[in-house]
Structure formats: structure tokens, C-alpha cells
Amino acid sequence: MDSRKIKSALISVYNKDGLAPIVRLLNQNGIKLFSTGGTQKFIEEMGIEVTPVENVTDYPSILGGRVKTLHPKIFGGILFRRELVDDEKQVIEFDIPNLDLVIVDLYPFEETVASGASDEDIIEKIDIGGISLIRAAAKNFRDVVIISSKNEYALLEIMLRDKNATTTINERKMLAVHAFDNTSHYDTAIFNYFAGEETKRFKHSVKDFQVLRYGENPHQHGLFYGNLEAMFDKLNGKELSYNNLVDVDAAVALIDEFEETTFAILKHTNACGVATATSVKEAYLNALACDPVSAFGGVIITNREVDVATADELNKLFFEVLIAPSFSEQAQVLLSGKKNRILLRRKAVNLPSKLFKTLLNGVIEQDKDLKTETIEDLKVVTTIAPTEKENKALLFANKIVKHTKSNTIVFATENRLISSGVGQTSRVDALRQAIEKANSFGFTVAGSAMASDAFFPFPDCVELAAAAGVKAILQPGGSIKDQDSIEACNKLGVAMVTTGIRHFKH
């Protein structure tokens, strides 16, 4: 039979928020209530009749509340198949009550872990009875309604108030899907807690999601799994697209390299402008000057509040997204003048330390590249050592290299990007591209510092850089022909440092 009328309900919840209206509706529909512990007391205090589970099982709650509902009379009442004659005979023989509706939630395991609680407290928040009841009711969805979260109370209210406490098979199956979603997510959280970060199992569960306008291209479907509202307040603009999110992720990763007042402008995840300065406005203008052509339609980020003077300059440019920790009231009003322009106020959240993506018929995972070189990591390998100013420029360039598609070469001063060669199939092509780009915007790489994401297999890059006037080079080293590049530097009067750290980005 497709439709089922609810005549009895088992209620046992940890979180009582929103429960009272449900209990009243159940009572108004003449539905017999069973409960235990705190939920039973809650219902009794409402003045509504409820049968204690202990009266059904003839067993009290034992072991400090660890065992309350784990009993054949409870699970039999949930799992019994109403259309099977043999099941019905056994239910009558053992005096098992029919349980048509199960309202159960789970102990707050994830919240307890996040609170920094002790192992003992965390383990006590591993639900046993609740998750078993949910699974049993969901398994028997043909006959039983399962409400496994207060998020489903609104739907249950409609069933009780507008549908005479009657449910369809499709409704019960949908609620079973929700239930198994809740239990699988819960078990994944428990596994990851016990296994820790060194587990060799790929188990992730993210319940929050957002439907995107489309994927990377309009013919591709797109979803974002996660809670964007935990990381950003969207102050203005259209919904973020798939490509916006990819660029926003790259922008956040890049800006987090800098403590000084900094602006960065990105296009297709690569920086086309980065600058630090004493004022926000100056940092923006210097970043924009790096490549004002590519900045059109880009994603912009800063690590300081956007004031009205900076907003006035930003307002002259068409861009997709602007991210900042805060906006002055005047700046926000000014920048919100264009309805599609996305303004994001960034919040402080902990970001994952692992990265993964689908590949072939599986998934690859790696540690996030969290290494940021300092002066102590620079090993001088040439007869000439970089000056203090050149060292600062090398480190600045290297921060950008780390977040640029390989193969890449970056030219920079100590406080701004000059140009970069991005995503080339050879390092020498990346170098030529960077020189040409600098020239096209009226810059010179002469006197700037150069950083490379990987070693030089041949001295040709050193020779081209020296011919363009570069005086200091940073590279990770590690080639069997490192000495050829070092000797070329010595011959051409260029300082070189190695870091021992490669920053490929594919």
C-alpha cells in the first residue's frame, strides 16, 4: 500500500529546538507517543501523555544512559513489515508495538570535536542507539516515516497538519535518503576523528552545497560543496560562478602570503598585478599598473580595509569580484553601484591543509604547499651575493611564483610585480614571455629580481635574463647541470640563490 497513516511515534532527540509544535500536532492527531529520558520529560512538561520506552521493554535506561532503546521490542516495532503475515504474527506474539514514525537526531559529535573537548567527552558523543533507530526506520521506509533532523520538521508539520498524518511512499523514501545522508556523514566524521590526517582512506562528507549557474563552461553543470557563508559575507553582486570560485580560491591563497598592505589582481588563477605599499590606494594603483589589460574582468583581493579613496579608483575598472576583510561604509555604497559586481567581505576561517581532485578513475590527494621561503632559506651559490634590497625582491617574486601556473618566470622589485611568464611548455619561453610583457607596458626588467618555479637545466635562461639587465636570480636548484647556470651567472655578474624548494603548480 502506497499511503500510510501515522498512528504511533517514537521520539528521542538530543536537540529539543522546534520539537514542541511537532508534539502538539502529533497529540492533536491522536497519535500514541513513546519516548525516553530527557525527551520524555520534555513532552510530559507540555502536559501531553507519553509512554516511557521502559514500560515497553521492561528494562530501565542503563550504563549511564548508553543503553535505552536497544531492545527487540523497539526495533521490532520499527522493522516489522506490515504486509508480511509472519511478521505480524510475531509482533502479536511478543507484544511489540507498531512504531510508524521515528523522530530521532544524533549526538553533536562534530560540534564536540570542534569545541576542543577531551577524548572521553568526544567518545561519549558517539551515538549508538540514535543512529541504529535512524537506520532501522530508514531501511523500513515502505512502512515507517523517519525524521532524522530538525531540518525535516517543516515537512513533517505539513504531513500532520494538512495531510491528516498520512504519508506517501515517495515522501517516506525521500526522508530515508535524508536519513542515510545524515548517518553516513556522521560515520565519516567519526572515522576521520579516529584515523587522523595520516589515514590512507579517502573519506570526505560535505553536506552544504550551492548550485552554480554552470560549470567551467555553460554546457557543464556545476555545484559547490561547502559553506561559503562561513568564509564570506556577500555584500553585493550576482551569485559566484564556477570560474569565479576557482579564481577566488587562488586569490585567497596568494594574498595570504603577505603581511604588508597588499593588493593582487588575478585572471584565470594567475596574478597579473601584485603590489605592496604604505596605503591601500597606492597598493591598488601599483598592482593595476602591472597589467591593466589583463585586469579587465579579473578578481581583485586585498588584506586591508577598502577605503573610499581606493574604491573611487576601483570603480573605474570593470572587474568580477573584489575581496577584502572590510569596506568602509562609503566605499561599500560606491562599489555597490553596479549590481552584478561581487563584493566579498572575508571572514577568518581555518582552511584545509590537504588538496584533492578527481583524476582518471580515482582521486589524488596532496598536502597544500604551505612553504613560504624566508631569508634563511636563500643559499648564495655565486661569487656575487644579492644586496638586501635584491633579497627582498627575490622573496617577493618567489611568493608570486608559488601561485603561478608552471612553467613560470617572475620579475619583481621588493614591492611589486613587474611581469611574469605563465604556463609555458618551456622555461625559456616563460622567460621570453615575461620580458616581452614588461616591455609592452613600458616597464624594464633591468635591475629587477627574477624567480623561477623550478631549476634551470641549461644556462640559456641566465643568459637571456642577464642580457635584459637582471642582477639577481632565485631558483630551487637540483639540476645535474646546476653548475652550468651558476658559472654563467659568475661570468655575467649576476647573483644567484637557491632554495631547495620547488613550487610547481599545474
Side-chain angles (χ1 to χ4, degrees):
M1 192 167 111
D2 179 49
S3 294
R4 290 279 189 270
K5 185 172 176 62
I6 300 169
K7 298 178 182 178
S8 60
L10 171 65
I11 311 174
S12 180
V13 296
Y14 182 89
N15 188 338
K16 313 297 189 296
D17 292 348
L19 182 63
I22 296 293
V23 172
R24 291 192 191 98
L25 282 169
L26 290 169
N27 185 55
Q28 290 166 14
N29 278 276
I31 295 168
K32 184 175 179 61
L33 304 183
F34 298 86
S35 191
T36 186
T39 308
Q40 175 192 329
K41 182 180 178 183
F42 178 86
I43 296 171
E44 289 171 341
E45 288 176 350
M46 292 177 64
I48 293 175
E49 184 178 351
V50 58
T51 300
V53 164
E54 290 87 342
N55 290 2
V56 177
T57 64
D58 291 327
Y59 266 91
S61 173
I62 62 174
L63 305 180
R66 280 190 165 195
V67 181
K68 290 179 283 192
T69 56
L70 293 167
H71 194 280
K73 281 198 170 184
I74 300 302
F75 282 86
I78 296 170
L79 286 165
F80 118 74
R81 293 155 291 188
R82 273 63 167 172
E83 294 181 353
L84 288 188
V85 174
D86 287 345
D87 279 17
E88 188 171 0
K89 286 180 180 178
Q90 288 186 320
V91 164
I92 294 170
E93 178 184 356
F94 295 107
D95 192 24
I96 295 173
N98 288 8
L99 295 172
D100 305 316
L101 167 64
V102 176
I103 304 175
V104 177
D105 64 4
L106 297 168
Y107 290 161
F109 178 82
E110 288 180 282
E111 293 84 349
T112 305
V113 172
S115 74
S118 66
D119 283 347
E120 182 178 352
D121 288 339
I122 290 170
I123 289 169
E124 285 307 309
K125 288 298 184 290
I126 298 176
D127 208 310
I128 304 299
I131 202 166
S132 301
L133 291 168
I134 291 171
R135 289 176 63 85
K139 177 177 179 176
N140 201 25
F141 70 90
R142 295 186 182 279
D143 298 304
V144 178
V145 179
I146 174 61
I147 300 295
S148 57
S149 164
K150 65 180 181 180
N151 295 333
E152 284 128 32
Y153 284 178
L155 179 59
L156 179 59
E157 282 192 40
I158 293 171
M159 293 173 178
L160 296 172
R161 186 182 60 244
D162 302 336
K163 301 179 71 174
N164 195 29
T166 299
T167 64
T168 67
I169 185 68
N170 288 336
E171 289 169 336
R172 295 192 298 276
K173 187 173 183 179
M174 175 191 65
L175 289 167
V177 170
H178 293 174
F180 286 124
D181 179 29
N182 288 334
T183 58
S184 63
H185 179 83
Y186 196 77
D187 282 337
T188 298
I190 293 169
F191 170 83
N192 286 331
Y193 170 74
F194 276 92
E197 288 199 359
E198 299 308 312
T199 177
K200 298 301 186 289
R201 301 289 186 272
F202 184 79
K203 291 182 184 287
H204 293 269
S205 177
V206 181
K207 298 192 73 173
D208 295 310
F209 72 93
Q210 179 176 325
V211 178
L212 304 176
R213 296 199 305 275
Y214 49 80
E216 198 164 9
N217 299 291
H219 64 278
Q220 294 170 271
H221 180 61
L223 289 168
F224 172 79
Y225 292 99
N227 183 6
L228 280 176
E229 291 182 359
M231 184 161 185
F232 301 110
D233 291 321
K234 187 161 79 70
L235 305 178
N236 188 70
K238 59 188 177 182
E239 292 303 314
L240 287 157
S241 69
Y242 179 100
N243 292 330
N244 288 155
L245 288 169
V246 173
D247 283 334
V248 166
D249 176 70
V252 167
L254 176 58
I255 204 70
D256 284 351
E257 297 284 347
F258 298 92
E259 295 180 0
E260 310 90 338
T261 299
T262 304
F263 250 98
I265 306 172
L266 292 88
K267 197 74 169 286
H268 299 299
T269 75
N270 294 304
C272 55
V274 184
T276 63
T278 55
S279 75
V280 182
K281 178 180 175 181
E282 183 185 1
Y284 167 66
L285 291 174
N286 288 346
L288 178 64
C290 297
D291 184 351
V293 174
S294 296
F296 182 86
V299 169
I300 305 176
I301 190 167
T302 182
N303 55 7
R304 295 292 189 273
E305 179 175 277
V306 175
D307 55 29
V308 69
T310 308
D312 189 53
E313 294 295 335
L314 282 158
N315 207 38
K316 300 172 184 177
L317 176 71
F318 169 74
F319 58 86
E320 289 274 341
V321 185
L322 173 61
I323 310 159
S326 60
F327 297 81
S328 74
E329 185 176 349
Q330 288 178 296
Q332 184 176 333
V333 170
L334 177 61
L335 292 167
S336 299
K338 296 184 179 179
K339 66 177 183 178
N340 287 332
R341 177 186 283 162
I342 301 169
L343 303 181
L344 299 178
R345 181 168 57 208
R346 186 180 174 188
K347 304 175 187 177
V349 296
N350 292 324
L351 297 174
S353 59
K354 300 281 187 180
L355 301 175
F356 58 86
K357 66 178 179 180
T358 58
L359 189 149
L360 300 176
N361 63 339
V363 175
I364 54 173
E365 180 181 85
Q366 67 171 346
D367 297 333
K368 185 179 287 187
D369 186 355
L370 297 175
K371 175 64 177 176
T372 299
E373 285 77 6
T374 66
I375 190 69
E376 287 76 22
D377 295 305
L378 306 186
K379 178 184 177 183
V380 179
V381 294
T382 50
T383 54
I384 301 173
T387 65
E388 181 181 355
K389 186 176 181 179
E390 287 170 341
N391 276 330
K392 289 179 179 179
L394 290 169
L395 292 172
F396 187 95
N398 198 50
K399 289 177 179 179
I400 300 170
V401 156
K402 176 180 167 182
H403 297 277
T404 305
K405 291 287 172 119
S406 299
N407 290 305
T408 184
I409 293 289
V410 169
F411 293 113
T413 68
E414 73 273 20
N415 55 19
R416 67 187 294 179
L417 171 66
I418 298 297
S419 65
S420 59
V422 176
Q424 297 301 300
T425 52
S426 76
R427 199 156 307 284
V428 71
D429 282 347
L431 176 56
R432 290 192 181 106
Q433 182 192 54
I435 293 172
E436 181 181 343
K437 193 156 196 176
N439 292 337
S440 70
F441 290 109
F443 295 110
T444 177
V445 300
S448 68
M450 183 180 98
S452 172
D453 59 335
F455 61 63
F456 300 122
F458 306 103
D460 50 0
C461 284
V462 170
E463 292 163 356
L464 281 169
V470 172
K471 294 299 181 184
I473 296 174
L474 178 151
Q475 56 125 338
S479 168
I480 59 174
K481 294 186 176 181
D482 272 349
Q483 195 58 37
D484 291 352
S485 294
I486 294 169
E487 289 176 1
C489 282
N490 287 332
K491 178 181 177 182
L492 298 167
V494 176
M496 176 179 281
V497 298
T498 58
T499 62
I501 303 294
R502 188 182 73 185
H503 288 297
F504 268 167
K505 191 169 188 290
H506 291 94

